[in-house]
Amino acid sequence: MPGGYTRLRAGLLVIALAVSGCGGVSSTVESGGTTLVTMGFGAGDEIAKTRIELADKVIAPATVKVGGSAFDAQQFLAAVASGSPPDIVYLDRQLLGTYAARGTLAPLGECVRDSQVRMGEFREAAVAEVTLRGQLYGLPESYNNRLIMVNDAVVRQAGADPSEVGTTDRAKLATLTRTLTGRDGGGALTRIGFDPKLPEFLPLWAKANGVTMLSEDGLKANLDDPRLIEILDYTAGLIEAQGGWGRMKAFRDTFDFFGAKNPFATGQLAAGPMDDWYLNVLANHSPQINLSVRPFTDQHGASIDWVTGSAWAIPAASKHKKEACAWIATMTKSDSWIAAARARADARKAAGKPFTGVYTGNRVADEKIFGELVKLDDKPVFGNAVKTVLNAQRTAFSMPSSPAGAEFKAAWQDAVNRVLSGVQSAAVALHQAQAEAQRALDLAAQHR
């Protein structure tokens, strides 16, 4: 919702009227005790299930009903407006500041003290994302790193050298993108040569071009910087060279991204920046893949790692903050992460597949996981990939927390989409985004 602050406030009133009299998503009291409700989290694998079991034990006889669907802003605001919010929410750390600034999330200072949360264990970049105006509003969950993944076999088949695929030399990358792109006899796309991952990864490309999109205090947008316009023009050009956004997105939407017929296994993707967790997908479904991983770099060859992730937060109106606090504290503590990682390592070992680790917001957990549980000597492809991720973390940066984080993100993502769809040039789109984002940031600042 570009221009978002006033729209969100107006939307909140509309939603409140729409849901008045409804039950919302709040906790309930059943014969067996209190049941807390979460929003935005699913218990789909052993990493989640192991930690949920540990967290449930801490709050027994109370129980937690895990939602399963992604965080939905309108549903959350509707629940808040109706007086029946969930007890626990799981959301993107880039968005957390918006809801904290509106008073819909509770500060966690008391929670940290009562549950003896060891904040020193968490990664500083992740904690910064959930801290607004000096107050903590969330406990960091994941720690997503971005690197370049190259499908070596496909690149060689196209007559190119996998070691030359990278972001330092942009002229070379543009040439390689055209070389690696595959089409059938009728011109239809059969392989993406290099996917720049727009609009999602614009902050990564921006940093590589010397641009900080948001000021450190989270109140000043920098979306009309000429260097940002330049890099958006460049990355949009990579997509245009492969048939344009419509064709590329339609082709990408056919991918079995999380299955055995993933784009690396089928040769539908040659290279591009990816989240580190995709190594886990490939290790599970394509353990024999011929892959190389390298850091995303600027034009001087310096490594850049944009990190984001999710966080656990407690709505200000939650009726069971004590139990909610104990639950999220257990979900994010090092012992819980280590137990979950061990469960996955055992499962992968039993299946004869490599375990590539779990990248968390908890530094102590990661040290144990990658120091003791990740054993990849017999899987050099994944072993080298993991080493690259760990090295890239040394140059990690995160987007500053902002009281209009959701509106800011919507402004720049909408701008990129307008460029990709051919509605606006990069310059026009980003100037509009700057106006929208700064208006939202100014309004948020007035309500401090």
Side-chain angles (χ1 to χ4, degrees), residues 104-165:
T104 57
L105 298 180
L108 297 184
E110 185 176 342
C111 170
V112 167
R113 291 190 297 272
D114 291 349
S115 293
Q116 298 181 331
V117 178
R118 298 175 179 174
M119 291 306 301
E121 292 189 354
F122 292 100
R123 296 184 181 276
E124 291 182 7
V127 173
E129 288 183 290
V130 294
T131 302
L132 183 70
R133 300 166 184 162
Q135 289 205 76
L136 183 75
Y137 286 92
L139 294 183
E141 170 88 347
S142 54
Y143 197 71
N144 300 336
N145 306 273
R146 274 80 181 200
L147 301 97
I148 303 293
M149 296 189 187
V150 182
N151 195 337
D152 288 2
V154 165
V155 172
R156 291 194 182 97
Q157 288 172 7
D161 183 349
S163 67
E164 294 186 350
V165 180

Side-chain angles (χ1 to χ4, degrees), residues 144-231:
N144 300 336
N145 306 273
R146 274 80 181 200
L147 301 97
I148 303 293
M149 296 189 187
V150 182
N151 195 337
D152 288 2
V154 165
V155 172
R156 291 194 182 97
Q157 288 172 7
D161 183 349
S163 67
E164 294 186 350
V165 180
T167 51
T168 300
D169 188 333
R170 293 178 188 159
K172 178 182 285 186
L173 178 59
T175 299
L176 276 171
T177 297
R178 290 189 289 271
T179 298
L180 298 174
T181 301
R183 294 184 175 85
D184 63 19
L189 198 62
T190 59
R191 181 176 64 242
I192 294 175
F194 186 91
D195 186 350
K197 272 293 184 75
L198 295 181
E200 306 97 311
F201 285 13
L202 181 65
L204 183 61
W205 289 99
K207 193 73 170 181
N209 215 35
V211 179
T212 300
M213 292 170 57
L214 183 63
S215 62
E216 189 173 341
D217 62 5
L219 295 176
K220 296 295 181 183
N222 185 31
L223 299 179
D224 56 356
D225 189 304
R227 296 167 297 175
L228 186 58
I229 295 170
E230 176 189 46
I231 200 62

Side-chain angles (χ1 to χ4, degrees), residues 41-54 280 284 331 336-349 351 354-358:
F41 187 75
D45 59 21
E46 63 274 3
I47 297 298
K49 291 176 180 177
T50 300
R51 293 182 298 132
I52 287 172
E53 290 175 2
L54 293 170
N280 173 59
N284 188 32
M331 287 291 287
S336 299
W337 277 117
I338 293 165
R342 184 172 287 110
R344 173 166 287 174
D346 291 345
R348 290 293 172 85
K349 183 178 181 180
F355 171 56
T356 59
V358 182

Side-chain angles (χ1 to χ4, degrees), residues 51-411:
R51 293 182 298 132
I52 287 172
E53 290 175 2
L54 293 170
D56 283 351
K57 290 178 182 178
V58 172
I59 66 166
T63 58
V64 171
K65 179 182 178 182
V66 175
S69 59
F71 176 79
D72 184 295
Q74 286 196 334
Q75 184 184 359
F76 175 64
L77 292 174
V80 170
S82 67
S84 56
D87 295 287
I88 301 166
V89 291
Y90 181 79
L91 74 167
D92 184 343
R93 291 198 292 266
Q94 296 177 80
L95 309 181
L96 184 143
T98 287
Y99 304 105
R102 283 154 180 70
T104 57
L105 298 180
L108 297 184
E110 185 176 342
C111 170
V112 167
R113 291 190 297 272
D114 291 349
S115 293
Q116 298 181 331
V117 178
R118 298 175 179 174
M119 291 306 301
E121 292 189 354
F122 292 100
R123 296 184 181 276
E124 291 182 7
V127 173
E129 288 183 290
V130 294
T131 302
L132 183 70
R133 300 166 184 162
Q135 289 205 76
L136 183 75
Y137 286 92
L139 294 183
E141 170 88 347
S142 54
Y143 197 71
N144 300 336
N145 306 273
R146 274 80 181 200
L147 301 97
I148 303 293
M149 296 189 187
V150 182
N151 195 337
D152 288 2
V154 165
V155 172
R156 291 194 182 97
Q157 288 172 7
D161 183 349
S163 67
E164 294 186 350
V165 180
T167 51
T168 300
D169 188 333
R170 293 178 188 159
K172 178 182 285 186
L173 178 59
T175 299
L176 276 171
T177 297
R178 290 189 289 271
T179 298
L180 298 174
T181 301
R183 294 184 175 85
D184 63 19
L189 198 62
T190 59
R191 181 176 64 242
I192 294 175
F194 186 91
D195 186 350
K197 272 293 184 75
L198 295 181
E200 306 97 311
F201 285 13
L202 181 65
L204 183 61
W205 289 99
K207 193 73 170 181
N209 215 35
V211 179
T212 300
M213 292 170 57
L214 183 63
S215 62
E216 189 173 341
D217 62 5
L219 295 176
K220 296 295 181 183
N222 185 31
L223 299 179
D224 56 356
D225 189 304
R227 296 167 297 175
L228 186 58
I229 295 170
E230 176 189 46
I231 200 62
L232 179 53
D233 262 330
Y234 172 80
T235 48
L238 294 179
I239 292 174
E240 189 62 33
Q242 298 177 84
W245 177 239
R247 291 183 180 180
M248 185 170 168
K249 185 178 186 301
F251 179 59
R252 193 167 67 181
D253 287 346
T254 67
F255 289 175
D256 178 24
F257 206 76
F258 298 99
K261 295 183 179 180
N262 61 76
F264 278 87
T266 59
Q268 294 172 308
L269 175 63
M274 305 284 282
D275 294 276
D276 58 54
W277 50 257
Y278 199 60
L279 289 173
N280 173 59
V281 174
L282 295 177
N284 188 32
H285 294 290
S286 306
Q288 305 304 320
I289 195 78
N290 191 352
L291 177 82
S292 59
V293 176
R294 57 186 52 92
F296 194 100
T297 58
D298 64 15
Q299 289 180 287
H300 303 290
S303 174
I304 297 173
D305 179 21
W306 174 42
V307 296
T308 62
S310 298
W312 293 101
I314 301 174
S318 169
K319 297 177 178 63
H320 303 284
K321 290 188 179 69
K322 182 178 180 180
E323 293 87 351
C325 170
W327 199 85
I328 67 174
T330 305
M331 287 291 287
T332 56
K333 69 186 296 187
S334 58
D335 289 350
S336 299
W337 277 117
I338 293 165
R342 184 172 287 110
R344 173 166 287 174
D346 291 345
R348 290 293 172 85
K349 183 178 181 180
K353 297 177 180 179
F355 171 56
T356 59
V358 182
Y359 299 94
T360 82
N362 190 305
R363 175 184 47 79
V364 173
D366 282 9
E367 289 172 357
K368 181 87 169 182
I369 292 168
F370 291 98
E372 299 181 16
L373 300 179
V374 176
K375 305 294 183 183
L376 294 167
D377 291 343
D378 60 339
K379 298 289 184 180
V381 166
F382 289 101
N384 291 332
V386 168
K387 289 177 183 177
T388 301
V389 176
L390 297 177
N391 286 334
Q393 289 181 342
R394 299 170 184 170
T395 59
F397 78 95
S398 61
M399 195 75 77
S401 178
S402 171
E407 300 91 330
F408 176 77
K409 183 177 181 180

Side-chain angles (χ1 to χ4, degrees), residues 414-430 432-433:
D414 288 348
V416 176
N417 285 325
R418 291 194 298 271
V419 173
L420 296 179
S421 61
V423 174
Q424 292 178 331
S425 67
V428 172
L430 288 174
Q432 178 181 327

